[in-house]
Amino acid sequence: MRRLFIACALPPSVVAEFARAFAVTYAGDGPPLSADDIVAGAAGHDALVVTAPTRVDRALIGRLPASLQALATYSVGHDHLDLTAAAEKGLAVFSTPDVLTDACAEAALLLMLGAARRATEAIALLRERRWTGWTPTQLNGWDITGKRLGIVGMGRLGRAIADRARAFRMPIHYHNRSRLPADLEGGATYHPSLDALLAAAQVLVLACPGGEATRGLLNRERIARLPPGAIVVNIGRGSVVVDADLADALDSGHVAAAGLDVFDGEPALYPRYYTLPTLFMLPHIGSATLETRNAMGRLLAEGLEAFWSGGAPVNRLV
Ligand code: DGY
């Protein structure tokens, strides 16, 4: 049996899924392991399983034991892995594409609605026992129905968000490196330039990957291009947003409300975020449904099994 070192907390059903196919060493439910603990724990194993908060950079990859043939990330995002260094070391790398698309798209709609309907203030009003009764002046937010939706990153996730937004009669606009074929575009309007998309987006959703190519993409200059009163949602990676610039725009009202599930440097948050009333925040729970967690485990287990039986796993990155 192949030996797996699981260096991150996983739901018990997922650990059990791995244990059906592999001899598993599970590091347990504690905080992410240090690089030293990962190196020590992975000794004598064939594969290492990590997830998004664990940075597997060139230095760590260089120290991994020679027995290791595969690196599996329990996430669709892989900006925490140095794929080039992994390939150079001869490691096959796996992730969990597709299976968390629906859950993350649902969370994006939650962020849109939570921001537009001022959920942060509404929940606080109730929980702090300050609600004195219904009035027509209380917590009026904004419709999303019929508003132009601008999606940055029209991959699987962006398209799943668009599918759901059509039910709100939102005209879909998007920006991608290249235009999608008509069957995937589904009638959406393509903007070759990000600036043109921003000018159109009454609701802006960032659904693009993290990494150096998108770092700081939504900065002061780009926020200024949004229509006044726009709503901003980030379901991709925190590094895409310049926090101080978004906070200033929320303060001024140029951005009426925002919904964020991901944060640069999480779990530490940009301090002003804690107090902005029109900011609706979730602690990176985009993919956090039981169905999705199980499907992610199944996909990784199947990918590793296919790899070791000479197949071509769909979830292999390098
Ligand atoms: C993912 O799978 O990339 C989620 O965002 C968790 O990091």
Side-chain angles (χ1 to χ4, degrees):
M1 237 186 186
R2 299 288 179 170
R3 300 200 57 195
L4 230 65
F5 179 60
I6 302 178
C8 55
L10 291 178
S13 54
V14 175
V15 178
E17 174 80 37
F18 282 125
R20 269 192 285 280
F22 309 108
V24 161
T25 308
Y26 179 47
D29 294 336
L33 296 188
S34 67
D36 286 347
D37 289 342
I38 291 175
V39 171
H45 290 78
D46 301 294
L48 168 66
V49 180
V50 297
T51 192
T54 298
R55 182 146 298 283
V56 186
D57 56 14
R58 180 171 286 279
L60 174 53
I61 288 171
R63 296 173 60 205
L64 290 173
S67 62
L68 221 60
Q69 297 174 21
L71 170 63
T73 184
Y74 186 81
S75 63
V76 64
H78 50 78
D79 48 309
H80 55 296
L81 309 177
D82 187 329
L83 294 183
T84 310
E88 283 169 17
K89 193 171 166 88
L91 290 175
V93 182
F94 301 87
S95 69
T96 64
D98 288 325
V99 292
L100 34 64
T101 302
D102 287 333
C104 290
E106 289 178 12
L109 270 289
L110 172 62
L111 292 170
M112 257 189 238
L113 290 166
R117 301 306 297 270
R118 300 176 59 182
T120 299
E121 294 158 275
I123 292 167
L125 189 68
L126 286 171
R127 297 220 158 200
E128 292 163 16
R129 302 178 188 223
R130 290 185 284 109
W131 190 38
T132 53
W134 187 86
T135 88
T137 55
Q138 174 182 281
L139 287 176
N140 293 325
W142 302 273
D143 289 342
I144 63 165
T145 299
K147 297 271 165 71
R148 277 187 310 277
L149 173 62
I151 300 178
V152 181
M154 194 72 153
R156 287 175 291 248
L157 175 56
R159 297 198 300 274
I161 294 167
D163 286 346
R164 287 155 178 81
R166 287 188 186 97
F168 290 89
R169 301 195 298 278
M170 300 180 86
I172 314 295
H173 294 243
Y174 74 99
H175 169 70
N176 243 9
R177 266 191 306 253
S178 51
R179 185 169 181 175
L180 296 176
D183 58 325
L184 294 183
E185 201 170 59
T189 303
Y190 176 59
H191 295 265
S193 95
L194 177 58
D195 284 353
L197 175 83
L198 294 171
Q202 292 172 293
V203 178
L204 179 75
V205 173
L206 303 168
C208 48
E212 285 318 304
T214 56
R215 177 169 293 282
L217 175 140
L218 193 68
N219 58 17
R220 186 174 307 278
E221 292 70 36
R222 294 210 172 98
I223 289 172
R225 295 183 193 279
L226 290 167
I231 290 171
V232 170
V233 163
N234 188 6
I235 187 72
R237 281 291 183 263
S239 55
V240 177
V241 172
V242 179
D243 294 325
D245 295 353
L246 178 61
D248 286 348
L250 284 164
D251 263 342
S252 75
H254 179 66
V255 169
L260 305 179
D261 183 52
V262 285
F263 303 89
D264 198 19
E266 63 185 48
L269 263 60
Y270 175 64
R272 283 168 69 198
Y273 279 171
Y274 289 106
T275 54
L276 286 165
T278 51
L279 177 57
F280 176 62
M281 300 191 287
L282 299 173
H284 201 149
I285 58 163
S287 58
T289 69
L290 285 173
E291 294 91 337
T292 298
R293 292 285 176 255
N294 289 334
M296 292 167 75
R298 215 170 306 121
L299 182 60
L300 278 189
E302 285 169 4
L304 289 168
E305 283 185 291
F307 166 62
W308 278 313
S309 56
V314 289
N315 60 331
R316 183 168 175 180
L317 291 169
V318 297

